[in-house]
Amino acid sequence: MPKDAPLNDGAALVEDSEESDGRVSGMQAKLHRRAAADPGRRFDDLFNFVHDPMTLRYAFNRVAGNKGARTAGMDGVTVAHVEEQIGVFRFLDDLRTSLKDGSFRPQPVRERKIPKPGGSGKVRALGIPTVADRVVQAALKLVLEPIFEADFEPVSYGFRPERRAHDAIAEIQLFGTKGYRWVLDADIEAAFDTVSHSALLERVRKRVKDKRVVALVKAFLKSGVLTELGDRRATDTGTPQGGVLSPLLFNIAMSALDERLQGPWKDGGAMGTASRRVRRRAKGLPNWKVCRYADDFVVLVHGSRDDVEKLQHEITEVLEPLGLRLSPAKTRIVHMSEAFDFLGFRIQWKHKRGTDKWYVYTFIADRPIRSLKDRIRALTSRKSQQNPREVLVRINLIMRGWANYFRHAVCKHTLSNLANFVWWRMVKWMQTLHRWKRKDVRRWLKAPDGSWKPISADGVELFRYGGGAGYPLPLPGQQDSQSLDLRITTHDGRDRGEPVAS
């Protein structure tokens, strides 16, 4: 497609997904180039991109490919309902018409409360938009994201393309080894629920001149919530979690904090070069580096605890106009030698055993371990009558994803112990399910040559961490009668006091 090809404003919706993908990618690349070339530019005529047939088709494909496509909003319509009963092209054509004539109005999101991880007993409220609203939000994101990505600072890692949690952890490790060992471990209280609409829209207007696009963003912010009890609640603040557009809008708001803390690192800034940072330390002035993932962030400080406290006060002042504040319960100042948790990892500057050297280590935090074990227990409950093959498929998905996320941490023994835990849970569950005795289990898992066979059901084998880890512990009554009392220890060697086969 030619780089400057005009939008076909009167064109019908296309069937070719590849053509749609290519057209949208070209549009995004052009917007990003222009935004990066002129940081002060305000973009007009973006609304035509939002309701372009190619953009809507691409946005619908994105929505249909998400796991949430099976979930309906307040109107009860799912993606399958659109595809089978309404028809995709008719649905998108009607949606495009309502956008062009200004009659489109976002519907309130359907509230659904889910438990927060960690077993705290608290719940998180998610907002489920209608399919039509999801498509329009996805179209808005396709247009706005390349513009604001040109402005976002490199210290932000959450919900951004080509960035992930592991990049933030690697950055923390890098600066931790360079002396940035005082840490402000910060968390923003109810961030997605309390961010100021006026402050957010003000930052959107700095880049977007098209009033129709700004009005559409505002309409989604003000769309309201349909509670689980059937009541409607206005949304005067916040961006409801669950929407396609919410993470981008939150990053736009939080870019104010990123710019403030990252400003000294830019060309000409007080920390812009290594020599300037060295001179600051020689004068007793602190240096700092921030790593943010959505509403969780850490500030690493090369200085003293007093320097961190002053920086915390400055951060509070930056967040206040955004309607945000630090959570007193979850925000703390800690030295890296004491360890702190971030994105499921536990990071600590500690002495390497057998040497006189210190390193910044990354371990698996305790909470993800507890969460994983709770999920495995739920799947292998003694009262469960599920199909063993389905249970194994589900366990394998969980374990593969978990091991893949934590594979760069120091976790060899932790993964091995967890593999043993899962193995015993499966064995005990199968014993209960089939009313087996110990000799039946041995007959099931022992090969004729005396070796152990992997746990399997209908061709599905239990996933093994690191290949052979966790296969297996002796069965009760065999050579090691204490195997069932094996205990998982944390990264620092503390006994968790929790039997693996509990």
Side-chain angles (χ1 to χ4, degrees):
M1 182 191 76
K3 290 183 180 179
D4 295 320
L7 287 171
N8 189 358
D9 195 54
L13 290 161
V14 294
E15 296 188 27
D16 192 345
S17 294
E18 291 186 4
E19 181 184 357
S20 174
D21 295 355
R23 178 83 174 264
V24 171
S25 297
M27 175 268 291
Q28 289 184 303
K30 183 163 59 175
L31 289 174
H32 184 75
R33 284 196 303 269
R34 292 177 177 176
D38 186 359
R41 177 171 181 166
R42 296 181 68 207
F43 286 80
D44 202 354
D45 254 350
L46 292 177
F47 195 67
N48 288 332
F49 285 114
V50 175
H51 67 66
D52 180 73
M54 299 284 187
T55 307
L56 290 177
R57 177 64 185 181
Y58 188 88
F60 181 84
N61 291 341
R62 283 275 187 94
V63 172
N66 290 339
K67 187 168 63 174
R70 295 170 292 181
T71 307
M74 66 168 291
D75 59 358
V77 176
T78 63
V79 170
H81 178 85
V82 170
E83 293 174 337
E84 297 168 7
Q85 300 186 35
I86 301 175
V88 175
F89 297 104
R90 178 186 169 189
F91 173 80
L92 293 180
D93 193 48
D94 292 343
L95 186 58
R96 180 169 182 258
T97 300
S98 66
L99 284 169
K100 288 179 64 179
D101 63 22
S103 62
F104 174 80
R105 296 290 184 275
Q107 299 297 310
V109 296
R110 182 168 67 88
E111 184 182 63
R112 182 181 178 186
K113 295 181 179 179
I114 61 172
K116 286 188 175 182
S120 63
K122 298 181 179 179
V123 295
R124 174 182 289 123
L126 297 181
I128 305 173
T130 64
V131 174
D133 289 351
R134 279 179 246 175
V135 173
V136 177
Q137 285 192 33
L140 267 174
K141 183 182 177 183
L142 290 170
V143 175
L144 295 178
E145 188 173 59
I147 296 173
F148 286 97
E149 272 294 324
D151 298 335
F152 288 159
E153 299 292 341
V155 298
S156 170
Y157 295 91
F159 306 109
R160 294 184 59 190
E162 305 298 328
R163 286 172 173 267
R164 56 180 185 165
H166 300 87
D167 298 325
I169 298 300
E171 189 84 346
I172 292 171
Q173 281 189 300
L174 173 64
F175 282 90
T177 60
K178 293 183 177 182
Y180 293 69
R181 298 197 182 103
W182 278 104
V183 181
L184 173 63
D185 182 11
D187 181 88
I188 301 175
E189 189 170 27
F192 281 85
D193 299 328
T194 58
V195 63
S196 168
H197 288 174
S198 58
L200 171 56
L201 290 172
E202 182 180 348
R203 296 195 68 83
V204 171
R205 290 189 186 100
K206 287 184 177 180
R207 274 302 207 171
V208 179
K209 189 177 180 181
D210 194 327
K211 294 182 179 179
R212 295 168 296 179
V213 172
V214 176
L216 196 54
V217 171
K218 183 177 181 179
F220 278 115
L221 292 174
K222 302 291 187 182
S223 61
V225 174
L226 179 68
T227 68
E228 292 181 328
L229 299 177
D231 301 323
R232 294 201 180 193
R233 185 178 70 243
T235 48
D236 299 320
T237 61
T239 60
Q241 295 186 66
V244 180
L245 193 61
S246 293
L248 173 62
L249 294 179
F250 185 77
N251 274 336
I252 292 173
M254 287 297 293
S255 61
L257 177 65
D258 300 338
E259 291 166 4
R260 180 71 169 269
L261 295 179
Q262 183 65 8
W265 282 80
K266 296 184 178 181
D267 293 340
M271 306 175 200
T273 63
S275 59
R276 289 183 179 180
R277 295 192 290 273
V278 171
R279 284 197 295 269
R280 283 178 60 86
R281 292 301 301 133
K283 296 177 182 179
L285 298 175
N287 297 319
W288 61 79
K289 190 70 175 178
V290 61
C291 286
R292 184 178 65 83
Y293 195 97
D295 57 337
D296 293 329
F297 65 93
V298 296
V299 184
L300 310 176
V301 179
H302 195 320
S304 66
R305 184 184 182 92
D306 290 340
D307 296 324
V308 186
E309 291 175 351
K310 293 177 183 177
L311 201 57
Q312 182 177 357
H313 180 69
E314 182 179 342
I315 290 171
T316 301
E317 292 179 344
V318 175
L319 294 178
E320 188 176 358
L322 300 174
L324 304 173
R325 71 186 189 99
L326 296 177
S327 170
K330 297 182 180 179
T331 299
R332 64 187 186 124
I333 297 174
V334 62
H335 193 271
M336 199 173 282
S337 60
E338 302 172 41
F340 66 97
D341 294 354
F342 189 59
L343 303 179
F345 293 90
R346 189 164 182 84
I347 302 169
Q348 186 175 17
W349 182 59
K350 63 180 297 184
H351 176 259
K352 183 178 180 180
R353 201 181 315 171
T355 71
D356 58 352
K357 296 181 180 180
W358 289 65
Y359 296 95
V360 177
Y361 288 92
T362 303
F363 305 98
I364 304 176
D366 289 344
R367 193 170 79 172
I369 295 176
R370 291 196 301 266
S371 177
L372 175 68
K373 295 178 73 175
D374 288 343
R375 296 176 72 181
I376 298 300
R377 287 191 184 99
L379 286 169
T380 57
S381 169
R382 307 296 163 85
K383 298 179 180 179
S384 173
Q385 297 295 316
Q386 297 183 72
N387 184 290
R389 186 182 190 277
E390 295 177 358
V391 171
L392 278 178
V393 168
R394 183 61 183 154
I395 288 177
N396 287 350
L397 286 174
I398 294 172
M399 293 171 66
R400 280 195 179 96
W402 203 85
N404 188 54
Y405 182 79
F406 290 108
R407 70 185 184 278
H408 298 302
V410 180
C411 59
K412 177 180 178 181
H413 296 297
T414 301
L415 293 181
S416 178
N417 287 334
L418 284 172
N420 285 333
F421 168 78
V422 175
W423 192 88
W424 275 110
R425 289 294 306 184
M426 282 298 302
V427 168
K428 286 296 183 181
W429 177 58
M430 293 293 283
Q431 273 189 284
T432 304
L433 184 66
H434 299 292
R435 298 181 181 178
W436 283 344
K437 297 181 180 180
R438 294 176 185 175
K439 63 179 182 181
D440 299 313
V441 175
R442 286 193 291 270
R443 188 181 303 115
W444 172 44
L445 292 176
K446 293 285 280 189
D449 61 358
S451 62
W452 290 96
K453 296 187 293 185
I455 292 178
S456 63
D458 296 332
V460 178
E461 289 188 6
L462 177 64
F463 173 75
R464 293 178 287 176
Y465 288 123
Y471 265 82
L473 293 173
L475 286 170
Q478 290 188 292
Q479 54 190 347
D480 185 0
S481 61
Q482 302 301 317
S483 294
L484 276 174
D485 205 25
L486 181 69
R487 297 176 183 270
I488 290 182
T489 57
T490 58
H491 58 274
D492 55 2
R494 292 182 289 108
D495 193 336
R496 292 172 58 90
E498 187 171 11
V500 171
S502 62

